[in-house]
Each structure stands twice: as structure tokens, then as C-alpha cells.
Amino acid sequence: MRILLLEDAPALGEAVRDQVAEEGHAVDWMQTLGEARACLATTGYDLLLLDLWLPDGSGLELLKHCRRAGNTTPVIILTARDQISDRIAGLNAGADDYLVKPFDLSELSARIAAVARRYAGNPNPLVKVGELEVDLVSHSLSRAGHGVELTAREWALLEAFMQRPGALLSRTQLEDRLYAFGAEVESNTIEVHISRLRKKLGRDAIETVRGMGYRLGQA
Amino acid sequence: MRILLLEDAPALGEAVRDQVAEEGHAVDWMQTLGEARACLATTGYDLLLLDLWLPDGSGLELLKHCRRAGNTTPVIILTARDQISDRIAGLNAGADDYLVKPFDLSELSARIAAVARRYAGNPNPLVKVGELEVDLVSHSLSRAGHGVELTAREWALLEAFMQRPGALLSRTQLEDRLYAFGAEVESNTIEVHISRLRKKLGRDAIETVRGMGYRLGQA
DNA sequence: GCGATTCTGACAGCAGCCTGACATCGCGCC
DNA sequence: GGCGCGATGTCAGGCTGCTGTCAGAATCGC
């Protein structure tokens, strides 16, 4: 396959390039958005490996632009640390998979192989929290193997928790997350939504910290 | 097979010619409408590869002319990127498939192979979703074994869903997909098209996720 | 036991969605 | 050019069920 690698860190870029090349793929390694854009305009690729944070912009922009243009080339995102928010944004923008830095080169190989297979009908990547399996692409969710439907607000709540795993979120933080600026909410809306979420996810899925807020259970 | 390639850009034309020739097909590469017309008049082809924008006119004219004359030779259109209107016009004019520039030569090979298979009487690979069978190559579709005709917009919608199986697509994503940049759409066009698609595909084919978007049913 | 806090069932209002009807546009045909 | 037809965009009326609100019950900490 012909692969475009966009990664500004020299050490990592070189390592990835060598690894992938060794497996028989043709790799074009670019270090800036501009270069990558130029390559995309002139060459067809079978796979894109995108770092999100680059000196001249975000790889997300590149991805969105491609998708808007009808380009369906598979994309694997390389995110810094455990920025689930980045992953969510990436998958929403049309990425197929993601890898968290630092990653094992053999894991990268596995994902590349998986992407190749995906065209044979493999499922979307899943994020697991306890007995929950979250599919950020299809916005679907299963609990202990059984499908669960969420409403828009419930999904937004769950996303808020997933972006900062294990974090304690105050009611105010959650409100800021669910409602646009200025849209003040009175009463105990958040509590009600937490209650509804618990009914669907299981009572222990969300832990109450009295006087402080809520936390997504790690059980 | 004997293939007529009509493409005025020298670099691309040469690359395509070499690639296709390498796969054992006979290629006649022409750079103007006039030349191509002359070839068509004197030679029988198994496949036409048409660029739409040429120095002396539009490949569309050639295509329409052929179809009007009862010529059913398979046609693959090579469009500049983002020109969705061109694609729609091309398909309406009787093209069998299109490729968006820049495209991967291997993708071109795949499409040509698909044409060759059909030519040899073998069916294209079908994608099945529920009771639907979709042939993305020949742009044909059947529901529960019975053929279904879709309009251009309906195809574009269905394609968007098929390219990311199971994904939840927001109204905005779908709009980006159906309409070129800048062509702002007001009102509930997407909803209406979804409704029309459902009428043809069956009510359960497309699932509504209130407040978030739509998903192609997996049933 | 008592106050503070949180949970949850019930309900009404309305945002979001569906769909039939109509206007418009482009295209082919005569 | 005139005509007919199908595709597409727009709109409005009607319906569904999400969502915010409230109040009473339950729980917690002391």
C-alpha cells in the first residue's frame, strides 16, 4: 500500500517510516500540513497516518477537508497522550482508528493490517469503560454485550465523562458542557439526566460524590 | 480489453495509459474531443475513460452523443475534485462510474477490473445491508431481490452511509457530502431526501437518532 | 433524629422530525 | 420553441418523544 505519514516529531516519524517501509509499504513522510496537502493533491494514498498537532495547523482540518471532498481513504490518527477529546473529534471528523502516543510499533502494524481488512467488513473501534463498550463512530453503546440507546443529552453527558476518564465533574462543569453559553438552566436538570443515564447504564456506572459532583465509575 | 482514454493533462494521461497498458489492455490515448470522436467512429472499444473538461469541449457531450446513438460501452468519468455537479451530470448522461482526481492508480485498476468482470458476465461484488443489496460499481440496488431505482441525490446519500458502515451521520455531515462548498442549503432538504429514500428502501432502512443524525439500519 | 442533599416518577411544553403538496428548474422530445 | 416529465428544494401542518420542571421520597452525614 502507499501510505502518507504526517508527523512533525523527527524521531517518531523516522521510526514509523522505517517500520512501515519494512513491511513492504511505500511511505511518504511529511512534517507539515502544507507538504501533506501538496502530496494529497498529486498522489493517491491507501492510508493516511495523521498527527493532530503540527507546527502549521491541525491534522483535523486536513481530515475534514478530505472527507468533504469525498475522499474515503482510511485514516489512522496519532494522538498525543490520552486525549480522548482529540479521539472523539477525530472519529467524528471521519477517522477510522487512532493510536495513543507513545505506541508500540507492532501495534501500529496491527492497526494498519486491520484497516486493510476493514474493507472486508470489520467493525468500528470501541472504547471500553467497565462493562460498557462505546462506539464513537456509530454513536452506539452496549452494556454487557447488550445494545443501549441514548438520547442526545445523555450521549453528551457520557461524552463529557469519557473525555476525562476518572475525573470528578461538578454539576456546573456538566452544565457548561451540555448547554451553550448563556442558556441558563434552573432546577436539577443535571441530576435528572444522571438518573436517566444510570437507568440505562447501570446504577454503579456513575458515582455520586456528595457535595462535589459525579464521576464515571471505573468498575 | 480495448480502452479509449480521453485526458488532456499530459502527466495524468501518460500515467494512466502506462498503468492500464501494464495490465494487459490496449489503450488509445487521445487529448482532444475531436480525436476521440474520430477513434470512436472507426474503432470498437470495451471501455471509455473520459475527462470532462477538455480544450475543445466537454466529455459530457461525447458521452451523451454515444448514448443517444445506442452505444452502451461502459464509461468511467474522471472528474476534478469537488465537482459533484459534474458527477451527477455524468451519471445522468449514462456514465457507469466516476473517479475523483486525484485518484489512486490502483483504484482505477479496481474499477477497470470491475468493468472487465461485468464484461465477462460476472457480477460485481455486492454489499449487503439488511434486505438491501448494493452494487457500488454499477450503481444498482435491489431490495429483497427486487430492483430499485434511485435518483442522483438519493445515491449520494446512500453512498455516504455505505462508505462508513454503521456510522451515525449528522445532518451537517450529510449536507457537506451532498452539496459542494458554498452551495448553502436552507430548510429541511436532508430530511426530505431521507424520507424519499426510506420510501424506496423501506422504513427501517435508515434509523433516526433524534437530535444527532441518521444511521443506516443494520437489521 | 434532623437538615441537607440527592434521587426519581410524573407531566406538560415544545423542539425536532416526518411527509404530503406545491413551485421551480433542467432536460429530452416532438 | 413549446410541451411534458422527473428531480429537487421549500414550506406548513401534524405528530412523537425528548427535556426541563417540580414535588415527594430516599439517602447521607452528623
Side-chain angles (χ1 to χ4, degrees):
Chain A
M1 299 197 296
R2 186 172 195 102
I3 298 176
L4 177 66
L5 167 63
L6 177 53
E7 167 61 63
D8 62 322
L12 181 58
E14 197 169 323
V16 169
R17 184 195 55 189
D18 293 350
Q19 166 76 15
V20 176
E22 203 164 277
E23 289 173 6
H25 304 295
V27 188
D28 294 339
W29 172 26
M30 297 297 138
Q31 302 193 40
T32 65
L33 263 189
E35 292 171 349
R37 233 186 280 269
C39 287
L40 280 171
T42 56
T43 316
Y45 290 94
D46 302 308
L47 172 65
L48 312 182
L49 298 174
L50 299 185
D51 186 11
L52 286 192
W53 294 94
L54 295 154
D56 58 341
S58 164
L60 261 190
E61 289 314 311
L62 187 66
L63 172 55
K64 285 185 194 166
H65 184 265
C66 282
R67 290 299 185 237
R68 214 171 292 154
N71 185 329
T72 60
T73 309
V75 171
I76 296 179
I77 285 188
L78 314 175
T79 73
R81 286 164 290 144
D82 200 354
Q83 297 284 12
I84 298 198
S85 58
D86 280 358
R87 295 192 221 169
I88 293 178
L91 291 171
N92 279 342
D96 296 80
D97 208 345
Y98 55 81
L99 272 175
V100 177
K101 298 182 198 174
F103 50 80
D104 196 16
L105 285 177
S106 65
E107 195 181 350
L108 175 62
S109 299
R111 304 290 178 103
I112 292 179
V115 164
R117 269 199 308 276
R118 168 108 18 100
Y119 280 119
N122 274 17
N124 295 318
L126 297 178
V127 179
K128 298 190 184 186
V129 179
E131 62 174 6
L132 301 177
E133 288 186 353
V134 186
D135 181 337
L136 291 168
V137 175
S138 71
H139 280 236
S140 65
L141 160 68
S142 69
R143 173 189 168 200
H146 204 278
V148 177
E149 292 287 323
L150 294 188
T151 69
R153 282 274 132 85
E154 289 160 2
W155 188 264
L157 253 190
L158 182 60
E159 253 186 0
F161 283 116
M162 306 234 337
Q163 285 193 357
R164 320 200 59 218
L168 175 77
L169 298 178
S170 72
R171 218 155 310 201
T172 314
Q173 282 177 298
L174 292 172
E175 280 177 13
D176 287 350
R177 184 60 206 246
L178 287 204
Y179 304 97
F181 259 160
E184 286 314 304
V185 188
E186 323 228 328
S187 87
N188 60 345
T189 315
I190 296 295
E191 287 171 35
V192 174
H193 280 297
I194 291 282
S195 168
R196 286 169 182 159
L197 246 188
R198 283 210 257 243
K199 206 178 284 180
K200 295 185 178 180
L201 303 187
R203 183 151 314 248
D204 303 331
I206 298 169
E207 182 187 351
T208 302
V209 182
R210 220 179 157 77
M212 314 269 307
Y214 300 92
R215 183 189 298 145
L216 188 61
Q218 300 293 65
Chain B
M1 299 195 300
R2 187 173 194 103
I3 298 176
L4 176 64
L5 167 62
L6 176 53
E7 166 63 61
D8 62 322
L12 182 58
E14 196 169 325
V16 170
R17 184 195 56 189
D18 293 350
Q19 166 77 15
V20 176
E22 202 164 276
E23 289 171 6
H25 304 295
V27 189
D28 294 338
W29 171 27
M30 297 298 139
Q31 301 192 43
T32 66
L33 263 188
E35 292 171 350
R37 232 186 281 269
C39 288
L40 279 171
T42 57
T43 317
Y45 290 96
D46 303 309
L47 172 65
L48 312 183
L49 298 174
L50 299 186
D51 186 11
L52 286 191
W53 293 92
L54 296 154
D56 57 341
S58 164
L60 261 190
E61 290 314 312
L62 186 65
L63 172 54
K64 285 183 193 168
H65 185 263
C66 283
R67 291 296 186 241
R68 217 172 292 155
N71 186 329
T72 60
T73 309
V75 171
I76 296 178
I77 285 188
L78 314 176
T79 74
R81 84 198 143 120
D82 260 359
Q83 297 284 12
I84 300 197
S85 56
D86 279 359
R87 295 191 222 168
I88 293 178
L91 292 173
N92 280 342
D96 296 80
D97 206 346
Y98 57 80
L99 273 174
V100 177
K101 297 182 196 174
F103 51 80
D104 193 359
L105 284 178
S106 65
E107 196 180 350
L108 175 62
S109 298
R111 309 282 178 112
I112 292 179
V115 169
R117 267 198 304 276
R118 203 170 343 148
Y119 184 69
N122 290 336
N124 292 316
L126 293 179
V127 183
K128 298 191 184 186
V129 178
E131 61 175 7
L132 301 177
E133 287 188 2
V134 185
D135 183 337
L136 288 170
V137 178
S138 73
H139 282 243
S140 65
L141 161 69
S142 69
R143 173 188 171 199
H146 204 279
V148 177
E149 294 287 322
L150 295 188
T151 70
R153 284 272 130 90
E154 288 161 2
W155 253 114
L157 254 190
L158 181 61
E159 244 181 8
F161 284 115
M162 305 273 314
Q163 281 177 358
R164 301 183 59 71
L168 181 128
L169 300 177
S170 72
R171 211 156 312 198
T172 314
Q173 283 176 299
L174 292 172
E175 280 176 13
D176 285 351
R177 194 54 211 255
L178 286 202
Y179 305 96
F181 248 173
E184 287 312 306
V185 188
E186 322 228 329
S187 87
N188 58 346
T189 315
I190 296 294
E191 287 170 35
V192 174
H193 280 297
I194 291 279
S195 171
R196 287 169 181 160
L197 245 188
R198 283 209 256 243
K199 210 176 279 180
K200 295 186 178 179
L201 303 186
R203 184 152 313 247
D204 302 332
I206 297 170
E207 184 186 352
T208 301
V209 183
R210 210 164 221 272
M212 306 207 282
Y214 298 93
R215 189 170 19 199
L216 190 61
Q218 303 291 65

